[in-house]
Amino acid sequence: MLTLHVAEASPELAVLVDGAQVAAVGPYEELAAVRPQARVRRWPGILTPGLLNPYGPELLEATYHPDPREAAELGTEPITGERAQAVFRADASRRGASARRGVQRMLAHGTVAIAGELRSRPALDAVRRAGLVVGGRPPNLPGPPSFSPVPLVLLPVPAPGGPARFAVFDVRDRAELVRRGASTCVATVIGGRLVHRSR
């Protein structure tokens, strides 16, 4: 099934998706005229190639992401440091569920790729199931681990024949994205699948 993704503030960069691949990239009006049968998904903001988060190990292996049912005991925010390790020591089975929730948070921030060497099976499985790309990273990183790292690292623009992997942010332009951060993500697509949608 053909799906045409377009964002209000970047109609010049619409993406036509066929299954898991990009069929075409270009101005929305041109793609819609050529493929009028395509299902259209309209988004607020700008369509981007999606983000690479360089903090894969820190966010998926060294951080505990509480289950909402644990809010009374552990709160709702990610837990780091010795407290996270204590949670994992108390119940090793929490690693898998935590990694899956961490991946969901990444997807909600427009992340389509991560960097860093993952060593635990639960984190590797969560990343593989989500379809996130894993790459190397530089030895020195500029800031603390975050779902909205500074600086934001955008991947190359989707290309015809390549994987359908991109994210949409509810901002006017890239300058506003940098200023407001990745929490403005409204949609993330990986392998042609809508893996996150906030509205």
Side-chain angles (χ1 to χ4, degrees), residues 120-131:
S120 72
R121 177 56 52 194
L124 288 165
D125 286 346
V127 165
R128 180 184 49 78
R129 285 190 188 112

Side-chain angles (χ1 to χ4, degrees), residues 8-184:
E8 293 170 358
S10 60
E12 73 286 352
L13 181 65
V15 178
L16 182 66
V17 174
D18 186 2
Q21 292 190 312
V22 173
V25 177
Y28 167 72
E29 296 295 340
E30 291 180 14
L31 297 182
V34 172
R35 296 293 185 146
Q37 76 277 22
R39 174 184 181 191
V40 177
R41 283 197 180 269
R42 297 180 187 279
W43 304 104
I46 63 171
L47 191 149
T48 74
L51 302 177
L52 179 144
N53 190 310
Y55 298 104
E58 291 83 358
L59 293 173
L60 299 179
E61 295 178 323
T63 301
Y64 181 68
H65 302 277
D67 186 297
R69 295 169 293 187
E70 299 172 313
E73 176 191 358
L74 299 173
T76 58
E77 293 303 307
I79 298 169
T80 60
E82 179 52 38
R83 187 171 175 222
Q85 296 312 307
V87 170
F88 291 138
R89 282 194 299 272
D91 183 356
S93 68
R94 284 177 156 171
R95 286 189 182 276
S98 174
R100 290 189 295 275
R101 289 189 293 270
V103 164
Q104 288 304 311
R105 285 181 186 236
M106 286 183 159
L107 298 175
H109 285 79
T111 298
V112 298
I114 63 168
E117 183 182 354
L118 297 174
R119 297 171 186 246
S120 72
R121 177 56 52 194
L124 288 165
D125 286 346
V127 165
R128 180 184 49 78
R129 285 190 188 112
L132 290 169
V133 174
V134 180
R137 69 178 180 184
N140 298 315
L141 296 173
S146 171
F147 290 106
S148 185
V150 177
L152 293 176
V153 181
L154 287 169
L155 295 177
V157 174
R165 183 171 50 230
F166 50 89
V168 183
F169 297 89
D170 190 5
V171 294
R172 290 184 304 272
D173 52 33
R174 287 191 180 194
E176 185 179 355
L177 173 57
V178 169
R179 191 168 61 255
R180 292 181 55 201
S183 64
T184 57

